[in-house]
């Protein structure tokens, strides 16, 4: 029998997101499920009841009615104890649970004999779990919104401008933490024209920061900061002292600081002290994305924007909810992908299969039995190290494009060429000798002009084709305009030869100039 998925209205203060949008309702129905939505559940996310009805969902008049008929409940925020009491025994709850921070909720779920899948417990190190990773999708929205909030509180443009009224310098933004949220903030601030700096304890993210237009600020202390599951680890006291010194310097220099440092299950580390805030320029802004867990700044007030020492400190805990339509769409897609994994038979019935590492990691309560924390997932063994490949030996003769020929080799080539040319001059017909002279000159000029150019703006293959093209071009030019003989006359070539020479000139010109034009366009793609 097909199960019914219920989507209640979120009751947390200020929460505007909804767990499923109408577009996803249609896809859930195709999987065999029935869908019911509490009236008004999507109003704040611009999804009204009529749009849900048009997608095929039922609209329940109250939370009690919805919970009373739902076999599966999709939620965004962890349910309240009152909502847990409304769950049917044997029902399945899917959403954020945060089991480490909510022991009372976990006890209530067990007592209700339900199954709870915590989307926040997804084993993120599994590559196949990325499509279900709601933490990543919501963090990306929050990082974008953090920059928008900073721009709203900041008193100037982000980008530098020169106008008739004066010069406006670009804003300087420092982002502490280059996880998903931090990278989203870096890209957004850089696109707005700000000078962006960022830091993270994980050295491997430095390239990602640079690729998004930021500058990676390194702490003057050597220590690896990568933790499990894509998170950073808690660093040593020595590293933290060096990090605080770097943050203090950045606080004096920049206009905006966005902090994202957070380790699940632990209070947010204090990165920005009150003394650092006091050294910032008046009108500066701090956006503390870790405010819900206490904040990375000592002066953060969770849920509020306050002014301290002339600095606006934004501690909003609902950044993703402030882009409710976008975040709801991404979140509902994550739940859809999870539902597809739970219902591979597409018959409207789910199977919480503990043989699946992703499903096992998500499941914190199964039929009233505590199953959290899950054992570490079985990751595939790392590939065996590749055998060291010996560096190819330089060829004894010849060389690649852009490499000058050795003097001794060049002398041998000229000597052999001179002997061959002398033999040809002694025994070959006069008509052949003129054409052979043209060919030799074309080869020499083509080699010297093109082949010796270092291929820094084009590939070695293009160097070779250009060298060949130059040989053809010089030969064709001599056929089109042959040199004068001793009497001052020219021997005009046959019409067929002249036509072939003209066609050869056109084709080689297209090849050479077109190749450089394509190269210029390719380079332009990497310029900002």
């Amino acid at each position: 029998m097909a199960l019914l998925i219920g989507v209640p209205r979120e009751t947390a203060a200020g929460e505007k997101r909804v767990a499923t949008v109408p577009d996803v309702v249609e896809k859930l129905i195709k999987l065999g499920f029935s869908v019911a939505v509490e009236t008004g559940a999507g109003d704040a996310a611009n999804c009204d009841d009529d749009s849900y009805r048009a997608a095929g969902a039922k609209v329940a008049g109250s939370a009690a009615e919805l919970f009373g008929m739902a076999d599966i409940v999709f939620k965004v925020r962890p349910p309240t104890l009152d909502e847990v009491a409304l769950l049917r025994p044997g029902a399945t709850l899917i959403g954020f649970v945060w089991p480490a921070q909510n022991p009372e909720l976990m006890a209530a779920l067990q007592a209700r004999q339900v199954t709870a899948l915590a989307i926040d417990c997804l084993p993120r190190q599994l590559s196949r779990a990325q499509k279900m990773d709601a933490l990543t999708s919501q963090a990306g929205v929050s990082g974008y919104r953090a920059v928008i909030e900073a721009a709203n509180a900041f008193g100037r443009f982000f980008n530098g401008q020169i106008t008739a009224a004066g010069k406006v310098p670009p804003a300087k933004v420092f982002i502490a933490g280059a996880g998903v949220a931090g990278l989203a903030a870096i890209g957004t601030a850089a696109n707005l024209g700000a000078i962006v700096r960022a830091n993270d304890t994980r050295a491997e993210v430095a390239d990602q920061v640079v690729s998004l237009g930021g500058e990676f600020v390194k702490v003057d202390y050597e220590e690896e900061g990568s933790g499990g599951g894509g998170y950073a680890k808690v660093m040593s006291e020595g590293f933290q002292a060096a990090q605080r010194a770097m943050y203090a310097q950045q606080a004096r220099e920049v206009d905006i600081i966005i902090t994202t440092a957070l380790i699940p299950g632990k209070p947010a580390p204090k990165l920005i002290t009150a003394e650092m805030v006091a050294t910032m320029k008046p009108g500066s802004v701090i956006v503390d994305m870790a405010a819900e867990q206490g904040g990375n700044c000592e002066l953060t007030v969770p849920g509020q924007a306050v002014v301290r020492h002339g600095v606006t400190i934004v501690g909003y805990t609902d950044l993703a909810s402030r882009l409710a339509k976008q975040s709801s769409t991404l979140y509902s897609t994550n739940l859809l992908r999870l539902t597809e994994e739970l219902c591979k038979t597409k018959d409207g019935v789910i199977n919480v299969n503990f043989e699946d590492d992703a499903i096992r990691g998500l499941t914190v309560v199964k039929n009233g039995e505590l199953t959290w924390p899950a054992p570490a997932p079985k990751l595939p063994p790392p590939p065996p190290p590749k055998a060291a490949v010996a560096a190819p030996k330089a060829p004894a003769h010849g060389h690649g494009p852009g490499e000058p020929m050795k003097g001794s080799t060049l002398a041998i080539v000229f000597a052999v060429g001179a002997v061959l040319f002398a033999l040809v001059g002694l025994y070959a017909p006069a008509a052949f000798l003129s054409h052979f002279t043209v060919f030799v000159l074309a080869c020499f000029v083509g080699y010297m002009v093109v082949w010796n150019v270092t291929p820094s703006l084009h590939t070695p293959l293009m160097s070779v084709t250009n060298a060949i093209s130059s040989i053809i071009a010089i030969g064709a030019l001599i056929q089109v305009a042959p040199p004068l003989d001793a009497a001052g006359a020219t021997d005009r070539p046959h019409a067929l030869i002249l036509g072939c020479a003209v066609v050869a000139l056109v084709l080689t010109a297209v090849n050479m100039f077109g190749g450089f034009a394509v190269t210029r366009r390719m380079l332009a793609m990497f310029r900002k």
Side-chain angles (χ1 to χ4, degrees):
M1 179 179 177
L3 302 179
L4 186 142
I5 297 174
V7 182
R9 182 171 56 201
E10 296 296 323
T11 58
E15 183 56 70
K16 300 178 181 179
R17 291 173 290 178
V18 63
T20 296
V21 297
D23 289 343
V24 173
V25 168
E26 298 177 355
K27 298 174 183 177
L28 291 172
I29 292 174
K30 289 180 180 178
L31 288 175
F33 296 96
S34 300
V35 181
V37 181
E38 183 183 352
T39 182
D43 286 351
N46 298 321
C47 301
D48 57 21
D49 292 347
D50 290 339
S51 63
Y52 282 109
R53 290 191 184 96
K58 305 173 186 177
V59 177
S62 66
E65 180 185 349
L66 179 82
F67 279 94
M69 61 180 178
D71 301 298
I72 304 169
V73 175
F74 284 179
K75 272 189 64 58
V76 180
R77 294 274 187 168
T80 63
L81 297 181
D82 291 338
E83 288 175 325
V84 173
L86 295 175
L87 285 169
R88 295 171 52 188
T92 300
L93 171 72
I94 302 177
F96 285 103
V97 176
W98 303 109
Q101 290 95 331
N102 297 303
E104 292 184 7
L105 173 60
M106 294 292 291
L109 292 171
Q110 294 174 67
R112 198 62 182 170
Q113 296 295 306
V114 299
T115 297
L117 276 66
I119 199 72
D120 48 277
C121 292
L122 179 74
R124 303 173 76 185
Q125 59 268 46
L126 298 175
S127 59
R128 57 180 291 270
Q130 293 178 2
K131 61 184 178 181
M132 303 177 275
D133 190 356
L135 283 172
T136 293
S137 66
Q138 301 305 291
V141 175
S142 297
Y144 173 88
R145 184 68 190 195
V147 177
I148 302 303
E149 294 295 340
N152 181 56
F154 190 49
R156 294 205 323 262
F157 298 135
F158 263 45
N159 62 322
Q161 295 187 17
I162 299 177
T163 69
K167 180 180 179 181
V168 180
K172 295 180 180 179
V173 180
F174 176 72
I175 296 172
V180 176
L183 291 174
I186 292 168
T188 305
N191 288 336
L192 288 175
I195 297 173
V196 184
R197 305 169 184 171
N199 168 260
D200 196 281
T201 57
R202 299 162 295 178
E204 64 268 21
V205 303
D207 291 339
Q208 300 176 41
V209 171
V210 174
S211 69
L212 290 171
E215 173 192 352
F216 188 79
V217 182
K218 195 174 183 298
V219 177
D220 191 16
Y221 193 96
E222 294 298 331
E223 182 176 351
E224 176 54 44
S226 296
Y231 297 102
K233 70 175 185 180
V234 178
M235 307 300 287
S236 66
E237 286 296 330
F239 182 92
Q240 293 181 32
Q243 187 182 54
R244 284 192 294 271
M246 183 269 291
Y247 284 155
Q249 178 183 353
Q250 294 300 319
R252 292 190 296 268
E253 296 178 0
V254 302
D255 304 298
I256 296 170
I257 295 178
I258 298 175
T259 64
T260 69
L262 191 62
I263 299 176
K266 297 182 180 180
K270 299 301 180 185
L271 305 178
I272 308 299
T273 64
E275 290 78 10
M276 295 179 193
V277 175
T279 64
M280 296 182 71
K281 293 173 281 190
S284 298
V285 178
I286 296 175
V287 180
D288 194 339
M289 295 184 63
E292 193 166 9
Q293 298 298 324
N296 296 136
C297 177
E298 289 183 348
L299 303 180
T300 296
V301 178
Q304 300 181 31
V306 298
V307 179
R308 299 289 185 269
H309 305 291
V311 177
T312 302
I313 304 173
V314 179
Y316 298 149
T317 58
D318 59 347
L319 290 172
S321 183
R322 288 171 179 256
L323 287 171
K325 178 68 173 180
Q326 181 68 75
S327 54
S328 297
T329 301
L330 295 175
Y331 181 71
S332 59
T333 302
N334 294 140
L335 295 192
L336 170 65
R337 301 308 175 204
L338 171 58
T339 307
E340 290 174 343
E341 293 296 317
L342 292 169
C343 180
K344 294 185 177 180
T345 54
K346 298 183 180 181
D347 57 357
V349 178
I350 64 172
N351 176 27
V352 183
N353 180 17
F354 272 21
E355 296 299 319
D356 187 320
D357 285 338
I359 303 302
R360 176 64 188 92
L362 287 167
T363 308
V364 295
V365 177
K366 185 174 184 181
N367 297 325
E369 179 184 351
L370 180 67
T371 59
W372 177 84
K378 300 173 184 177
L379 299 177
K386 295 181 180 180
V389 180
K393 295 182 179 180
H397 301 286
H399 56 287
E403 298 177 4
M405 186 180 291
K406 294 181 180 180
S408 57
T409 306
L410 187 62
I412 294 174
V413 170
F414 270 100
V416 173
V419 172
L420 291 175
F421 193 78
L423 293 174
V424 171
L426 291 174
Y427 300 103
F432 174 81
L433 184 61
S434 63
H435 290 291
F436 183 71
T437 303
V438 170
F439 174 74
V440 172
L441 290 175
C443 290
F444 178 76
V445 174
Y447 172 84
M448 297 303 294
V449 172
V450 180
W451 186 269
N452 269 346
V453 176
T454 302
S456 57
L457 297 181
H458 48 262
T459 64
L461 177 61
M462 189 179 293
S463 297
V464 175
T465 57
N466 282 347
I468 297 173
S469 296
S470 66
I471 295 172
I472 298 172
I474 292 174
L477 283 172
I478 295 179
Q479 292 299 326
V480 171
L484 299 176
D485 57 15
T490 59
D491 184 13
R492 302 300 298 178
H494 190 274
L496 178 62
I497 297 176
L498 183 62
C500 291
V502 172
V503 171
L505 278 174
V506 173
L507 293 179
T508 53
V510 170
N511 179 66
M512 288 190 290
F513 291 103
F516 284 108
V518 170
T519 301
R520 171 169 289 192
R521 292 191 64 180
M522 291 176 62
L523 292 175
M525 294 172 60
F526 297 94
R527 295 194 185 103
K528 185 175 178 180

